């Protein structure tokens, strides 16, 4: 059967028009980053997306509520903890005042301290949030929790003016959580304390007076009751925070689309991780995805039209979240060879070995800080941060269990035995967790619970004889320091007090860093040394120093004692089971301090993960010029033979070219 020229051209025109329409639609999808431009493109998908958008909006609102509520409860927890500290100090003063050997001057001095603590508790109880609302006034947040009337008689000056109603916040479908904790019993305690302070300020007062002693005992008893009430509120806040964390995790797992928290699901994104959907199959390149996922199609088209070097065309960035590539927002820069030039044989893929033309990630991408899947070091840092986050979460959960149990033991000592099994299990779990710290975090968290990064945990220690006084006083001395990890021999450091502590520490740090031992100054201005935790057993008590007889003895180098810094979680936290009330209070304070430390480290880890996420999002793989040139040469070499198969191959790239121009190109 013969094919007429007219039929041939009609078929080609129809194919070109259809390809032109599809390319135009695909280019619009690339420009907008959306597959569904109008609901009629896919009505069923549009309805589903609308439903997902509503669900996503509800989940986002719940999680926003959880975030705001968690911040408020943590703030309240800190304030209540401050109150409990003040009350513990107040109790110590009252017990001290009960000593019958105190003179009236001693008692008046104690009264002065009690006044300061009373005013501190009063101010804390009336704390406001950033919007000016009182935290402990119940639902009457515009009214002070406790008011003070100086004109009233002692014992009636303080009154609770808030209410005990709870502010409920919706944190899930049918789930609410109280956002406040009222302090209605605090006014009675302050009034009772005011009476005791009045007694102590009376001239010639003696605590041996039965009336004074009886009032002091009543104040101490009421203080214990109020302290237990505050502790129980702290425990409830701890339980609420744990519930909120669990609820937030549950909501995150229920999100319709797994994506960063603030991303909405209002539009259908391109399939395959927002990869460019325009598959301009260039069989000249061996059924490639197009030159750089089809982004270069427009450049190819323009070059064939103009017969001029193809320029770099800036197109919307294409980001692949599901693959191993990230394309920048720049299309391929393809150049046409000079007239008569032939493409190098190595640059033209054969028909039998046809393969996709993909631009590879090279040194240029690394120089641009691209977050490449080949970057093992950076991936190790991210993995260590994720391990540290999980570890700190387990540590925090165990500490919260102890905190809740100890607080409940103080509030209800009669039922303390019922919680002993749970507390013992929590202590055992904390002990096991602490021993596994290095392995569980990939050595990213040191004994002081400082996040150091992948494999960078260091053991902090002090060297006896090297302190701020030794570095700032005495005669000039040359020290010879021997370290087991330094194979080059002893290190020489000159200590010159006239140069100051900082100068001497810099010299020490510069000399010791060759053996991977560093020096820094702590908050008290004292030098602190550190060595890698993995090699600490080779350094501990094996450092030798020889001096000139001023700070260290001359002659044979002597070993010096190294004192490690106290860990963030002391052994008493998980090895001792407090029984007496004062022991429980001490243990509770240690737990609260450890929780503060854990919270700080969690913020460090979260910052590291956020930075890694930002780098990954901003990174882009640059296309090396060599890959671009090879792609261009392969394409142009393929089009040298103007046959029907070749024409069909390049037809999508020729979309939008009129018939006359095509005929001119065909010669």
């Amino acid at each position: 059967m013969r094919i007429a020229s007219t039929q041939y051209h009609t078929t080609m025109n129809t194919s070109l028009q259809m390809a032109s329409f599809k390319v135009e639609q695909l280019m619009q999808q690339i420009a907008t980053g959306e597959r569904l431009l109008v609901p009629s493109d896919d009505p069923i998908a549009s309805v589903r997306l609308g439903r997902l958008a509503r669900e996503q909006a509800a989940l986002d609102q719940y999680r926003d509520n959880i975030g705001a509520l968690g911040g408020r409860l943590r703030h309240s927890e800190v304030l209540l903890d401050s109150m409990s500290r003040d009350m513990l100090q107040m109790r110590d003063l009252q017990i001290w005042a009960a000593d019958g050997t105190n003179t009236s001057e001693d008692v008046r001095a104690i009264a002065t301290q009690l006044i300061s603590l009373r005013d501190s508790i009063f101010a804390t109880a009336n704390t406001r949030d950033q919007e000016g609302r009182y935290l402990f006034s119940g639902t009457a947040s515009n009214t002070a929790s406790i008011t003070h009337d100086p004109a009233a008689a002692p014992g009636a000056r303080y009154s609770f003016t808030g209410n005990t109603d709870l502010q409920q916040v919706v944190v899930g479908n049918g789930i609410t959580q109280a956002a406040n904790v009222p302090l209605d019993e605090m006014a009675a305690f302050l009034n009772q304390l005011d009476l005791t302070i009045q007694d102590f300020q009376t001239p010639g007062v003696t605590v041996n007076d039965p009336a004074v002693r009886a009032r002091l005992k009543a104040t101490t008893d009421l203080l214990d009751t109020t302290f237990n009430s505050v502790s129980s509120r702290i425990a409830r806040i701890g339980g609420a925070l744990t519930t909120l964390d669990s609820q937030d995790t549950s909501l995150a797992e229920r999100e319709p689309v797994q994506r960063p928290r603030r991303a909405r699901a209002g539009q259908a994104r391109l399939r395959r991780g927002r990869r460019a959907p325009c598959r301009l199959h260039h069989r000249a390149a061996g059924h490639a995805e197009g030159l750089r996922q089809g982004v270069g199609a427009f450049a190819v088209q323009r070059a064939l039209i103009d017969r001029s070097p193809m320029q770099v065309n800036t197109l919307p960035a294409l980001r692949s979240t599901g693959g191993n590539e990230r394309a920048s927002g720049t299309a391929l820069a393809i150049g046409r060879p000079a007239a008569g030039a032939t493409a190098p044989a190595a640059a033209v893929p054969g028909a039998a070995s046809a393969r996709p033309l993909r631009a590879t990630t090279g040194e240029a991408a690394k120089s641009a800080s691209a977050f490449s899947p080949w970057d093992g070091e950076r991936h190790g840092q991210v993995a260590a941060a994720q391990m540290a986050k999980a570890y700190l979460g387990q540590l925090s959960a165990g500490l919260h269990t102890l905190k809740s149990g100890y607080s409940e033991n103080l509030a209800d000592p009669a039922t303390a035995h019922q919680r002993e099994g749970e507390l013992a299990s929590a202590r055992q779990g904390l002990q096991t967790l602490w021993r596994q710290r290095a392995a569980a975090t990939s050595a990213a968290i040191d004994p002081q619970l400082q996040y150091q990064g992948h494999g960078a945990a260091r053991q902090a220690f002090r060297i006896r004889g090297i302190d701020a006084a030794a570095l700032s006083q005495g005669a000039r001395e040359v020290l010879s320091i021997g370290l087991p990890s330094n194979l080059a021999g002893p290190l020489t450091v000159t200590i010159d007090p006239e140069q100051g502590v900082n100068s001497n520490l810099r010299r020490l740090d510069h000399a010791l860093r060759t053996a991977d031992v560093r020096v820094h100054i702590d908050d008290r201005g004292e030098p602190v040394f550190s060595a890698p935790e993995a090699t600490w057993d080779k350094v501990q008590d094996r450092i030798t120093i020889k001096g000139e007889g001023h700070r260290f003895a001359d002659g044979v180098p002597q070993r010096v004692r190294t004192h490690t810094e106290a860990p963030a979680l002391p052994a008493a936290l998980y090895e001792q089971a407090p029984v007496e009330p004062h022991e429980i209070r001490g243990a509770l304070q240690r737990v609260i301090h450890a929780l503060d430390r854990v919270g700080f480290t969690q913020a460090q880890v979260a910052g590291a993960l956020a930075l890694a996420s930002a780098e990954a999002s901003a990174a882009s793989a640059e296309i090396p010029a060599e890959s671009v040139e090879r792609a261009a040469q392969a394409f142009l070499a393929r089009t040298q033979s103007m046959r029907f198969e070749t024409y069909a191959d390049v037809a999508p790239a020729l979309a939008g070219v009129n018939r006359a121009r095509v005929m001119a190109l065909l010669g």
Side-chain angles (χ1 to χ4, degrees), residues 461-473 477 479-483 491 493 495 501 504-509 512 517-522 525-529 543-547 551-552 558 560-563:
F461 64 96
R462 301 177 189 270
I463 296 179
R464 185 175 182 179
I466 301 183
D467 53 18
L471 298 177
S472 60
Q473 301 173 9
E477 185 176 18
L479 303 181
S480 179
I481 305 176
L483 292 166
L491 304 170
V493 182
I495 303 299
V501 175
N504 289 323
L505 283 179
R506 281 195 296 270
R507 283 197 288 268
L508 270 171
D509 183 68
L512 296 177
V517 175
R518 305 305 301 269
V519 189
H520 69 275
I521 300 179
D522 65 5
E526 294 291 339
V528 178
F529 299 80
I543 300 176
T544 61
I545 299 181
K546 183 184 74 172
R551 297 168 183 81
F552 296 92
Q558 301 292 325
V560 295
R561 295 294 303 273
T562 55
H563 304 279

Side-chain angles (χ1 to χ4, degrees), residues 91-100 102 106 110 113 207 216:
R91 191 178 194 282
D92 292 339
L93 290 173
Q94 291 180 6
I95 293 175
W96 181 14
D99 187 352
N102 288 322
D106 296 334
I110 293 174
Q113 298 182 55
V207 293
L216 178 58

Side-chain angles (χ1 to χ4, degrees), residues 27 30-31 278 292 294-299 312-318 327-332:
M27 295 301 292
I30 293 174
C278 59
R292 191 56 179 174
V295 183
F298 182 72
V312 174
N313 292 277
T314 302
L315 296 177
L318 303 178
S328 68
T330 303
L332 291 173

Side-chain angles (χ1 to χ4, degrees), residues 34-113:
E34 299 170 359
R35 186 176 71 86
L36 300 183
L37 301 178
V38 293
S40 59
D41 289 343
D42 192 340
I44 296 177
S46 298
V47 173
R48 291 178 178 175
L49 284 174
R51 187 183 303 115
L52 291 176
R54 291 192 297 271
E55 184 177 350
Q56 184 71 41
L59 292 178
D60 284 346
Q61 185 61 57
Y62 292 150
R63 297 188 69 186
D64 288 343
N65 291 350
I66 289 174
L69 178 57
R72 176 166 182 172
L73 289 177
R74 289 186 182 90
H75 188 198
S76 300
E77 184 181 31
V78 171
L79 295 173
L80 292 176
D81 178 63
S82 174
M83 283 187 186
S84 66
R85 292 173 186 268
D86 289 342
M87 285 191 285
L88 287 176
Q89 186 176 355
M90 197 177 289
R91 191 178 194 282
D92 292 339
L93 290 173
Q94 291 180 6
I95 293 175
W96 181 14
D99 187 352
T101 61
N102 288 322
T103 64
S104 59
E105 289 78 9
D106 296 334
V107 175
R108 281 199 299 272
I110 293 174
T112 302
Q113 298 182 55

Side-chain angles (χ1 to χ4, degrees), residues 259-280:
R259 61 185 65 187
R261 178 177 178 180
R262 296 304 304 167
R264 304 279 182 176
Q267 296 286 344
R269 295 299 179 185
L270 300 177
R271 291 296 184 259
R272 297 173 61 93
R274 299 177 68 184
R275 179 171 296 182
C278 59
R279 298 177 176 274
L280 305 182

Side-chain angles (χ1 to χ4, degrees), residues 593-627:
H593 179 74
L595 280 172
D596 290 342
R597 180 71 260 177
V598 170
F600 177 79
T601 310
Q602 285 177 322
Q604 285 183 312
V605 174
L609 288 174
L611 179 60
S613 177
E615 290 177 349
S617 299
S620 62
E622 296 184 355
I623 305 173
E626 299 82 11
S627 299

